[in-house]
Amino acid sequence: MAQVRTRFAPSPTGYLHIGGARTALFNFLFARHHGGKFVLRIEDTDRERSTPEAIQAILDAMKWLELDYDEGPFYQTERYPLYKQKVQELLAKGKAYPCTCTVAELDAKRQAAMKEKRKPSYDGTCRPAEGVIPPLPADKPYTIRFRTPREGTTVVKDLIKGDVSFENHELDDLIIARTDGTPTYNFCVVVDDIDMAISHIIRGDDHLSNTPRQIHFYQALGSPLPQFAHVPLILGTDKARLSKRHGATSVTAYRDMGYFPEAVVNYLVRLAWAHGDQEIFSRPELIAMFGLENVGKAAGVFNPEKFLWVNFHYLKTKPLAELAQDIVPYLQAKGYAAPQDRQWLEKMIATLRERAKTMVELVDMARYYLDEQIVYDEKAAAKFLTAGAAASMTALAGKLSALSEFTESNIEQAFASTLAEHSLKMGELAQPARVALTGSTVSPGIHDVIAVLGKERSVARLKLAVARATA
């Protein structure tokens, strides 16, 4: 096989969405698997909708997902001279022609076709006879149309879908340059892919209908065809095409919600591709195993619960040192200063990561570790911070305060001796202490909570609760 060269070519009209990220991922993995090159090309010819902010959002998302490209980013708006040169080549060969039909005339023809229940395609008014190369009009505006073959069938040999046939008479003469000379999307794509020597075009199957037209461009430009692979779309759980109503659809939205890039990559790759029953893959495993032969033909269904499960897996299994680094922007987003003591931060995370499924959820759960002042759940406080619990909480505070080494084993011993002295069951002291220390009845193990809070804060909060209970 000649060198594999794939490309990801987003239009910067918004954030990088889930479907686009999966396309980028498949191109990245295929290139890496075959030791090839992965190219990033920004298709920014839509001047009205393409924005610098959207371009930056795409670049940021690619960086966050660690989809490292070997070449680019290239920008189509910087490549207009090449497109114009190729338009002139087609004109000179009689493969394209000027069209002086006005927008109003084309619209009238379209309306008439629809009224007569015909396909509203261009009727070839300006199409010259075979072999005739008409001059460019000097006195009126014109577009340039491609002279599409009218006979025969174009077969897309798709690596995923198999052979897909299109009748040429169903394809009209597409505009390849507008009246102002700017080239159109389908033509730019082909010129770029030829110029960049792209060997495999892996993209969503919503582009399949463009492919026969693009094949004609390759043939007219005298270039060999790349191999095509059209990946099935991603659907919501209601089997409709994935949209905002199914939840966040942009990659950066999931980053902001506290998902890990590894989890996003892992989940997206499974939305059409499989390797046996394996669910969790490291990046080296994905690169070693990925192939188009294992991409399914059926649409992938985006399941938010499964996605959350994958993220939860990474939260449970990542090294604590990495999590302590990862959590910093989420702490700052909630207004907390990042603790300087990373070992303390690791201990805090260790108590919560079996409970939280995202980093945002973990920070929310950690409020009693991070806030200086405790906020009580009033129902929990009324039930457990009672005069009857005051004596045992006072005794516990005293024992904790007297510890010279504030270790978990010593904390557990202080708790056990308090229970014994007051003839209490574990819950009879643990629940009042839990409410005193965290504000609610739900938390990690009470010994762990005390160890993370530390002696000073634990004793202070127990005394505050006693004061409330005896007021």
Side-chain angles (χ1 to χ4, degrees):
M1 185 187 292
Q3 186 187 49
V4 167
R5 290 177 60 84
T6 66
R7 49 73 161 177
F8 177 51
S11 298
T13 56
Y15 295 101
L16 179 60
H17 56 80
I18 288 294
R22 187 189 63 173
T23 298
L25 174 62
F26 280 16
N27 279 279
F28 168 85
L29 291 174
F30 190 79
R32 291 288 176 269
H33 178 79
H34 290 284
K37 300 293 184 183
F38 175 49
V39 179
L40 176 62
R41 184 173 72 229
I42 306 295
E43 299 190 336
D44 58 343
T45 53
D46 188 338
R47 292 295 190 92
E48 291 183 5
R49 297 175 63 211
S50 298
T51 66
E53 293 78 15
I55 291 173
Q56 192 58 52
I58 290 169
L59 297 178
D60 289 347
M62 295 279 287
K63 182 178 180 180
W64 183 63
L65 294 174
E66 296 183 24
L67 299 181
D68 305 320
Y69 38 91
D70 302 293
E71 297 174 21
F74 299 105
Y75 296 89
Q76 285 189 327
T77 49
E78 296 174 357
R79 298 169 58 80
Y80 280 167
L82 176 61
Y83 307 141
K84 290 181 179 181
Q85 174 192 328
K86 296 301 179 182
V87 169
Q88 292 303 314
E89 282 184 23
L90 294 184
L91 285 168
K93 293 178 181 178
K95 303 286 188 181
Y97 61 90
C99 174
T100 57
C101 295
T102 66
V103 172
E105 289 169 341
L106 293 172
D107 188 56
K109 291 177 182 181
R110 189 179 300 110
Q111 294 295 331
M114 292 174 68
K115 189 174 182 180
E116 296 169 14
K117 297 184 178 179
R118 292 184 287 110
K119 185 177 178 180
S121 56
Y122 181 62
D123 62 1
T125 298
C126 296
R127 180 180 172 120
E130 187 75 33
V132 175
I133 300 178
L136 298 178
D139 57 345
K140 58 176 68 175
Y142 60 90
T143 59
I144 302 297
R145 287 185 183 272
F146 179 72
R147 187 186 179 90
T148 301
R150 287 184 167 173
E151 306 295 327
T153 301
T154 298
V155 178
V156 178
K157 295 184 177 300
D158 195 274
L159 294 173
I160 295 172
K161 294 182 173 297
D163 289 358
V164 185
S165 298
F166 295 84
E167 298 302 320
N168 288 338
H169 67 81
E170 293 287 331
L171 308 172
D172 59 359
D173 290 357
L174 200 66
I175 292 173
I176 60 174
R178 304 177 183 90
T179 53
D180 63 359
T182 58
T184 56
Y185 168 78
N186 274 296
F187 186 65
C188 294
V189 166
V190 172
V191 171
D192 283 336
D193 287 336
I194 293 172
D195 187 60
M196 296 175 186
I198 301 303
S199 66
H200 292 75
I201 295 176
I202 305 167
R203 58 190 177 186
D205 65 6
D206 51 334
H207 289 280
L208 180 60
S209 60
N210 292 328
T211 307
R213 300 180 183 279
Q214 293 174 1
I215 287 175
H216 292 156
F217 292 155
Y218 278 99
Q219 293 168 339
L221 291 166
S223 176
L225 296 179
Q227 295 193 65
F228 294 97
H230 289 88
V231 181
L233 295 178
I234 301 174
L235 306 179
T237 50
D238 58 358
K239 302 302 173 67
R241 186 168 178 173
L242 192 66
S243 66
K244 288 182 179 178
R245 66 192 176 85
H246 296 106
T249 59
S250 78
V251 169
T252 46
Y254 283 100
R255 177 196 64 192
D256 296 344
M257 289 161 61
Y259 284 70
F260 299 106
E262 303 96 320
V264 176
V265 165
N266 205 133
Y267 184 69
L268 288 183
V269 78
R270 292 285 288 109
L271 285 176
W273 177 85
H275 186 82
D277 295 327
Q278 189 170 341
E279 291 286 352
I280 303 298
F281 299 85
S282 67
R283 185 163 298 233
E285 284 179 321
L286 286 175
I287 291 171
M289 298 172 178
F290 187 81
L292 295 175
E293 66 277 5
N294 290 325
V295 174
K297 297 180 182 181
V301 176
F302 185 84
N303 184 328
E305 291 182 5
K306 180 69 174 293
F307 194 4
L308 201 58
W309 175 85
V310 173
N311 200 68
F312 183 40
H313 166 83
Y314 282 96
L315 184 49
K316 288 190 300 181
T317 58
K318 260 196 166 195
L320 286 169
E322 283 186 34
L323 292 175
Q325 184 66 35
D326 292 340
I327 202 172
V328 170
Y330 299 101
L331 290 170
Q332 293 171 337
K334 292 286 187 178
Y336 297 112
Q340 295 301 307
D341 186 345
R342 288 303 170 91
Q343 286 189 324
W344 178 86
L345 197 51
E346 289 177 25
K347 285 171 63 178
M348 182 198 85
I349 293 169
T351 68
L352 296 170
R353 67 172 176 177
E354 292 286 344
R355 296 166 173 267
K357 291 185 172 60
T358 69
M359 294 302 267
V360 167
E361 192 175 3
L362 192 148
V363 172
D364 287 340
M365 287 182 175
R367 66 191 182 281
Y368 47 80
Y369 291 136
L370 301 166
D371 291 338
E372 285 305 314
Q373 291 188 329
I374 195 70
V375 177
Y376 297 119
D377 174 275
E378 287 302 322
K379 286 186 179 179
K383 182 175 181 180
F384 292 104
L385 300 187
T386 62
S392 58
M393 285 197 293
T394 299
L396 177 61
K399 291 182 184 297
L400 293 174
S401 182
L403 292 177
S404 56
E405 293 185 12
F406 207 70
T407 63
E408 290 182 25
S409 60
N410 285 344
I411 292 167
E412 190 172 348
Q413 182 56 43
F415 222 90
S417 62
T418 304
L419 291 174
E421 289 172 10
H422 291 263
S423 301
L424 297 174
K425 294 178 181 178
M426 182 64 179
E428 293 174 313
L429 176 57
Q431 282 299 73
R434 182 172 280 111
V435 175
L437 297 171
T438 72
S440 77
T441 57
V442 179
S443 80
I446 193 65
H447 302 142
D448 294 331
V449 171
I450 293 171
V452 173
L453 280 174
K455 181 195 292 189
E456 185 178 332
R457 286 199 294 173
S458 296
V459 170
R461 290 185 184 183
L462 286 168
K463 288 181 176 179
L464 182 67
V466 169
R468 175 188 171 112
T470 56

